[in-house]
Amino acid sequence: MKNIKLLGLPLLLLVFITSCSSISVLSDYDQKVDFNGYKSYAFYKTGIDKAQISDLDKKRILRAIETEMSSRGFVKSETPDILVSIFTKEQERVDVYNNNYGWGGAWGWGYNPYTWGPGFGWGGGTSVSASTQGSLYIDLIDNKTSELVWQGKGEGTLSNTKNIAKKEERIREFVSQILEQYPPSTVAMK
């Protein structure tokens, strides 16, 4: 029986790690917009200033966006075609795992309303884990019309780590997966 518990621990750890690393991504856009006309961008300072995260995390997000936009052929400009803004949300998530596995009873003979006769057993327990669920929105706004033309959202578990390299990697992962949805015409063809 102890071997079953020991085999279950790595499996549970694997499930936990893979569930924490996944990012759910959605995007929405204005179908009447020709996205091929956008070649340059700038950050929309007013919108970015409202994002309720640390200035250091804002810088990390903006650097990741710059990298992704550059890889898509965009150039940063004083007179941009689109403005890039971000918005963030976070909430605590508590998961309760009820590990009621096994069989049960008690040694001895006797009667109670629920059991009669000999018995033996082992059982599980309950575990609780807490994590921070975060959402990052990336908005693309047409600079001429001041209208939102595309919005991408990434939602996943944020690691509250002291390891800055891991934090930056997680932010790059969020931004990259969100911007994979842009431009919408290539996403629709997949």
Side-chain angles (χ1 to χ4, degrees):
M1 291 301 157
K2 194 170 191 174
N3 288 341
I4 292 174
K5 284 185 182 180
L6 291 176
L7 290 174
L9 185 60
L11 182 60
L12 182 63
L13 184 61
L14 179 65
V15 169
F16 178 72
I17 289 170
T18 57
S19 69
C20 290
S21 65
S22 66
I23 299 171
S24 174
V25 178
L26 299 169
S27 66
D28 194 8
Y29 63 96
D30 184 343
Q31 292 181 337
K32 295 179 181 177
V33 171
D34 177 16
F35 289 93
N36 294 322
Y38 298 130
K39 303 292 182 202
S40 62
Y41 76 98
F43 290 113
Y44 183 56
K45 185 173 173 17
T46 305
I48 292 169
D49 287 345
K50 292 178 184 178
Q52 296 181 352
I53 54 173
S54 76
D55 286 343
L56 293 172
D57 283 341
K58 282 180 191 177
K59 287 179 187 178
R60 291 179 181 109
I61 292 169
L62 298 181
R63 279 194 302 260
I65 290 172
E66 283 179 347
T67 300
E68 290 296 320
M69 295 298 279
S70 175
S71 74
R72 287 169 171 67
F74 282 86
V75 292
K76 209 168 176 183
S77 171
E78 294 289 323
T79 56
D81 300 321
I82 56 173
L83 299 171
V84 179
S85 187
I86 62 169
F87 176 74
T88 59
K89 277 199 248 183
E90 72 176 39
Q91 64 186 35
E92 285 299 312
R93 176 179 169 171
V94 178
D95 293 316
V96 179
Y97 302 98
N98 196 2
N99 300 322
N100 290 329
Y101 47 82
W103 33 272
W107 283 109
W109 288 89
Y111 171 78
N112 72 35
Y114 306 107
T115 62
W116 181 85
F120 51 94
W122 57 277
T126 302
S127 64
V128 177
S129 71
S131 61
T132 302
Q133 188 76 16
S135 298
L136 171 63
Y137 294 81
I138 300 176
D139 293 342
L140 301 183
I141 303 161
D142 186 297
N143 194 27
K144 291 178 185 168
T145 64
S146 298
E147 291 183 5
L148 179 66
V149 293
W150 184 89
Q151 182 178 66
K153 173 187 174 188
E155 191 172 90
T157 304
L158 303 174
S159 55
N160 295 328
T161 181
K162 292 181 181 178
N163 184 329
I164 300 303
K166 285 185 179 180
K167 188 178 208 178
E168 288 196 16
E169 180 182 329
R170 186 67 171 159
I171 288 172
R172 284 192 304 268
E173 184 181 2
F174 257 79
V175 170
S176 174
Q177 288 190 27
I178 292 168
L179 288 176
E180 277 180 10
Q181 303 284 310
Y182 185 87
S185 57
T186 60
V187 173
M189 289 181 204
K190 288 183 182 179

